[in-house]
Each structure stands twice: as C-alpha cells, then as structure tokens.
Amino acid sequence: AIAGAVIGECDFLDDALEGAVVGGGIGAIAGAMEGGAVDRAQQKQMDELIRAFGEENLRGYIELVQCNHKKAIAYFKVGQVSDIEDHKLTGFWMEAIAEKDNRNAEKTQEMLEELVELDPDIDDDMMARTAVDQYVLELRSDRRSNQISCN
C-alpha cells in the first residue's frame, strides 16, 4: 500500500499534507506536532496522517522538505523499527528517497536492495529506482515552486 502511494502518483503523503508542508505551512505542522494550537480540522488531519504513516515518518518528511537530510533520515530509521508494518515500510521508502535526494548513490543503492526484499510489490532494483527517482523529481519540483532551496 505504501509503495503504491509512492509509485502511483509520485505523491507519498496526501495532497493536503503536501500543500500544507510545501506551501509554507511547515512551521504550522511542526508546531502542531509539538503540541501547538491547532483547530479541530487540522488536528483531525494530523491524527490521520500519523495513523497512516507514523509520527516519526511524518516528522522526517517535514525535515526532508526543508532539506535537513540527516535529521530526516534519523526519523525514518526510527520509523523502520515500528511495530506497524506500513510505518516500517514507509521508513525504508523515505530513507531511500532522502538518500537519493541527498545524492548519496552508494546508500541509495543499498536502500533499493532493501526495498526489493521488504516490499512485495517491488520486483527488482529497477522498479524501486524508478519509484524513488520519480518521487525525488516531484519533491524537488515542489521545493522550486515554493522557493525552498537545498543549496
């Protein structure tokens, strides 16, 4: 299911989160996750995202959008040891995406091999690489559209 979300539309999380995170609401979401004031609708959305992807993976995604690769990967590694299989798999996918985005070819290759082993929807390295490449391109495009630079 998580791989399908990544491969399907190059949209790992949902459109609402992408709009909130990339569209300038990074601080608001991060603040909400730290217990800041949010309205009922925002809290419901946050709870749904945490349930679907895991809190650590959501925190990692926020860091990744902001180009904080090391911190993002640390969160994804915590997600990888979750008791919830979808959260665990999400952590592996997101680490692969973060490593590719950070141009770490050796670690990206290691992660692709892990994904082939872990995700029953992925047949080989090429299939995993295609999904990761597509998402990284979308992530970078979203950053450019919102004047976020990793330089």
Side-chain angles (χ1 to χ4, degrees):
I2 299 301
V6 176
I7 296 168
E9 296 295 323
C10 291
D11 186 7
F12 176 71
L13 301 178
D14 65 17
D15 291 338
L17 177 66
E18 182 178 339
V21 171
V22 180
I26 296 169
I29 288 179
M33 292 188 75
E34 296 300 325
V38 293
D39 66 30
R40 187 170 282 171
Q42 290 172 317
Q43 187 61 53
K44 182 180 177 196
Q45 180 184 26
M46 186 68 55
D47 292 344
E48 288 173 10
L49 292 168
I50 290 170
R51 249 189 322 279
F53 302 106
E55 184 172 342
E56 295 82 10
N57 293 322
L58 183 57
R59 288 179 185 277
Y61 180 77
I62 292 167
E63 295 297 334
L64 181 58
V65 169
Q66 297 176 87
C67 310
N68 298 326
H69 294 91
K70 286 183 182 180
K71 196 168 183 180
I73 290 167
Y75 278 121
F76 299 143
K77 286 191 178 295
V78 173
Q80 292 168 10
V81 296
S82 173
D83 293 333
I84 301 170
E85 287 301 314
D86 280 350
H87 296 183
K88 186 182 297 187
L89 189 56
T90 298
F92 281 97
W93 272 104
M94 291 309 298
E95 183 179 352
I97 291 164
E99 293 291 5
K100 176 68 176 190
D101 184 51
N102 203 29
R103 295 175 169 87
N104 186 343
E106 184 177 320
K107 186 61 179 171
T108 300
Q109 183 59 40
E110 289 174 22
M111 293 306 303
L112 295 174
E113 292 168 10
E114 290 223 37
L115 289 170
V116 172
E117 295 297 318
L118 294 171
D119 193 326
D121 294 332
I122 299 300
D123 297 332
D124 54 34
D125 287 6
M126 183 61 76
M127 192 175 192
R129 181 178 306 280
T130 298
V132 168
D133 287 350
Q134 288 175 340
Y135 189 75
V136 169
L137 289 172
E138 183 70 23
L139 175 67
R140 291 175 182 173
S141 175
D142 288 343
R143 284 184 186 138
R144 276 191 306 280
S145 296
N146 291 282
Q147 293 83 43
I148 299 172
S149 175
C150 288
N151 297 331

